[in-house]
Amino acid sequence: MTTDDISGMGPLVARLSRGGQRLRQADRNRPWVLDTAVVVLVFLMFCLPDLLHAGAGDGDGPRRFRLVFTQLPLAGMLALQAGLVLPLLWRRRRPLAAFGVIAAVFVLQWSLNAVLRADIALFVALYSLALHGRLKQLPWACAAMAGAMVLVALRVSAAMSVWDALFFLLSTTTAALALGLMVRIRRAQLAGLRERAARLEVERDQRSRLAAVTERTRVAREMHDIVGHNLSVIITLADAGAYASDLAPERGKEALQLIGDTGRQALGELRRVLGVLREAADGPSAGPELSPQPGIADIDALCAKVRAAGLEVVYRTSGDVEALDSGVQLTAYRIVQEALTNTLKHAEADTRVHLAIIERDTRLTIRVQDTGPAAPPGPHEEGHGLVGMRERAALYGGTVSAGPAGGGGWSVEAVLDLTPQGGVR
């Protein structure tokens, strides 16, 4: 077979597959149609010839067969054929009952020393039992089949060898049983594959929704950090500039310049975040020019803005903090930014802030303590800022605690685990 022949079979296989799917759907909608068709087909192929020959008054087999077996009257033949064929109507719904009735009629027929082509119904019933019935019922059915086949072999012993008859009959029984089991296993495999495909599709949709929710949470956290901090600084600088405009115009001018710088920085960060989102939604493109994410080295500039807003910030570090992973540095920067923003919102003008970042023994400790009022960051419950800090710390197996400081004021402490997942630093 050439490659062109194989490629040409593609449309044919696709049409056959679609045709099979339509037939299976039609069978699920109207199962009685197939059951009736099987009964009609067995009647036309195996029952009708016996009826025609019985009406003609002579059989079509060898003379020795006609002499050995009993010639049934037409009414008796019709009754036995009905007992053999009609139970096939419920061979799929009640396979054991159908097999039992057909086997009983089969034994009765051969007890009368009569032979009918409709005996094929017993093998169809065995096939249906192997396909649709309970597996624990098969040993009993096989035992009944073996007994029935022995009876047939003994009845035909006058015309042929018992062992030859047994070999043929048991081979046919085995073929019917094996075919039913093979189709049953194949259907179970296909059902398992369909179930797995459906489960994978559901899991894919769940992963997509989870990724979307995670991304929305991340973007919301970034927007909160950017907008919340910079707006707090701008508002504080604006209030200070308005107060100083009459007493010290040069300080008011300086405040306006700081407001402009802070606003431009916030706008740049917003453009960076929104530009990345737009690029992810529209596909790869030239996109916006991206600036590096802030790290621990940028905390000095952050403290300078807070000092310009009127607070005194004492900042110190311990350990090789600038050699940390960029993700850890971004997390530390955002935690410090949020803690200073909360202090800026709630602290008084003469508040002092002590900021310490300590790297020691695979742990990074971030401690922000102020001397302002010991009030929680939200009016009655934790605000989004503290929740965001805890979410960021959780990415590195860390914790965040916040509460009144021992000597007055408010304290925020975050501890990040710097040990990689592999366990080697």
Side-chain angles (χ1 to χ4, degrees), residues 115-252:
V115 58
L116 295 175
R117 290 183 174 89
D119 290 339
I120 192 69
L122 182 62
F123 299 98
V124 176
L126 179 63
Y127 161 82
S128 301
L129 180 61
L131 177 58
H132 303 288
R134 298 179 181 177
L135 294 179
K136 63 182 181 180
Q137 298 169 348
L138 286 180
W140 300 101
C142 292
M145 283 292 296
M149 295 304 104
V150 170
L151 174 62
V152 175
L154 293 176
R155 287 297 186 182
V156 300
S157 59
M160 62 184 301
S161 170
V162 173
W163 297 111
D164 291 342
L166 272 179
F167 176 79
F168 173 77
L169 293 172
L170 293 179
S171 298
T172 307
T173 301
T174 303
L177 181 64
L179 181 61
L181 291 175
M182 182 186 68
V183 175
R184 182 186 188 124
I185 294 172
R186 180 59 178 168
R187 288 185 180 180
Q189 291 175 342
L190 292 177
L193 291 176
R194 285 192 293 267
E195 181 182 356
R196 183 172 182 270
R199 186 172 63 253
L200 290 176
E201 185 176 357
V202 171
E203 291 177 356
R204 182 199 63 192
D205 295 339
Q206 290 177 344
R207 284 195 300 268
S208 299
R209 287 193 294 268
L210 181 60
V213 171
T214 303
E215 184 64 15
R216 284 197 298 269
T217 303
R218 186 188 68 81
V219 171
R221 188 167 57 235
E222 289 287 336
M223 298 291 287
H224 175 271
D225 292 339
I226 295 171
V227 176
H229 170 75
N230 289 288
L231 281 182
S232 297
V233 174
I234 289 173
I235 291 172
T236 304
L237 289 173
D239 292 340
Y243 177 77
S245 59
D246 295 332
L247 301 177
E250 66 280 358
R251 297 297 302 273

Side-chain angles (χ1 to χ4, degrees), residues 28 38 48 71 92 106 122 135 192 202 208 218 242-243 246 250 271 287 292 300 339 355 360 394 402 406:
R28 283 193 292 268
V38 170
L48 190 59
Q71 298 295 322
R92 293 192 293 179
F106 181 88
L122 182 62
L135 294 179
V202 171
S208 299
R218 186 188 68 81
Y243 177 77
D246 295 332
E250 66 280 358
R271 283 177 176 172
D300 286 322
L355 169 61
R360 182 183 302 156

Side-chain angles (χ1 to χ4, degrees), residues 372-376 404-405 408-410:
W410 189 261

